[in-house]
């Protein structure tokens, strides 16, 4: 007597399921920054949002007269600066304007990209295992938020100290740290 054993295998095509997971995940975005409507108390008589304030510090502060000269719509009779010059000033600041750029978001994320990338890999793993990636996306957003908030006091930011005039006025040589409102306004959102 002999017996025959047969091995039966079945293949299930999960390509469409995988495509749905990847497509769904590709629509998700994690944003770190300051939402445009984030109000702050009026600064020197001008209402300005925290988003606008962070933008200004990222590109360098401009005196109103100089901003007007750079705005081609201003009817000042002066020729506006070229786009190339404007781009250079925004990227590098200007000693003439006495305020260097102090970028926050991009360099903070870049400086912490390994930790954030590791968390984003976990997002993919959870999604591919059939789990809900939303909690992991929130953790990635929180990592980005904390990296940006920490950048204000991180020596790796390379920011020059406040000018002596600013230091005397506010009593500190630490740039962008007065009330902490700007730093606390940085948050994250998950969309998609």
């Amino acid at each position: 007597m002999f017996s025959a054993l047969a091995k039966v295998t079945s293949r299930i095509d999960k390509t469409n399921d995988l495509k749905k997971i990847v497509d769904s995940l590709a629509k998700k975005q994690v944003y770190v920054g300051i939402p445009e409507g984030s109000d702050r108390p009026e600064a020197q008589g001008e209402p300005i949002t925290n988003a606008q304030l962070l933008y200004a510090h990222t590109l360098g502060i401009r005196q109103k007269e100089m901003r007007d000269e750079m705005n081609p719509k201003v009817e000042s009779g002066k020729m506006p600066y070229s786009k190339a010059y404007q781009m250079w000033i925004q990227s590098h600041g200007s000693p003439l304007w006495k305020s260097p750029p102090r970028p926050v978001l991009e360099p903070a994320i870049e400086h912490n990209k390994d930790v954030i990338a590791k968390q984003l890999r976990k997002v993919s793993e959870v999604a591919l295992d059939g789990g809900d990636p939303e909690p992991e996306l929130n953790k990635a957003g929180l990592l980005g938020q904390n990296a940006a908030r920490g950048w204000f006091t991180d020596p790796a930011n390379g920011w020059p100290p406040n000018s002596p005039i600013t230091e005397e006025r506010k009593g500190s040589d630490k740039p962008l740290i007065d009330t902490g409102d700007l730093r606390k306004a940085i948050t994250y959102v998950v969309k998609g």
Side-chain angles (χ1 to χ4, degrees):
M1 214 187 245
F2 69 90
S3 67
L5 295 175
K7 183 177 179 184
V8 178
T9 60
S10 65
R11 293 184 180 194
I12 300 172
D13 186 0
K14 298 273 188 177
T15 306
N16 286 336
D17 293 341
L18 183 59
K19 184 177 177 350
K20 287 178 187 175
I21 291 170
V22 171
D23 287 346
S24 173
L25 198 53
K27 292 176 185 172
K28 301 276 186 189
Q29 297 289 320
V30 179
Y31 297 94
V32 175
I34 299 176
E36 178 52 47
S38 306
D39 292 328
R40 62 185 289 279
E42 288 190 11
Q44 299 173 348
E46 292 184 42
I48 185 171
T49 68
N50 277 313
Q52 293 164 334
L53 183 62
L54 184 62
Y55 178 84
H57 282 293
T58 296
L59 301 177
I61 301 297
R62 312 297 191 263
Q63 295 173 355
K64 182 176 179 349
E65 298 79 25
M66 293 177 179
R67 287 192 313 262
D68 289 347
E69 286 179 14
M70 291 179 75
N71 183 351
K73 295 179 184 174
V74 172
E75 304 292 331
S76 65
K78 297 179 183 177
M79 179 183 276
Y81 295 126
S82 71
K83 294 291 181 194
Y85 185 69
Q86 289 179 43
M87 173 119 9
W88 192 91
I89 292 292
Q90 290 176 345
S91 298
H92 299 91
S94 171
L96 180 66
W97 294 356
K98 299 180 182 163
S99 183
R102 291 183 171 110
V104 176
L105 299 174
E106 291 87 357
I109 299 298
E110 177 66 24
H111 189 73
N112 292 280
K113 69 182 177 185
D114 293 338
V115 173
I116 296 168
K118 184 177 178 182
Q119 180 58 36
L120 291 173
R121 278 192 292 279
K122 189 163 184 183
V123 169
S124 300
E125 291 168 3
V126 167
L128 292 172
D129 286 341
D132 179 9
E134 198 80 16
E136 300 304 324
L137 284 165
N138 282 304
K139 288 178 186 175
L142 190 58
L143 284 171
Q145 171 188 299
N146 290 340
R149 287 181 178 184
W151 196 246
F152 286 76
T153 56
D154 191 327
N157 69 28
W159 295 344
N162 287 330
S163 71
I165 295 168
T166 303
E167 188 176 337
E168 184 179 318
R169 181 179 46 81
K170 76 179 232 180
S172 170
D173 68 342
K174 306 259 187 283
L176 305 185
I177 304 279
D178 286 334
T179 64
D181 288 342
L182 180 62
R183 183 170 43 175
K184 288 184 259 180
I186 296 173
T187 188
Y188 75 92
V189 291
V190 176
K191 292 190 174 184

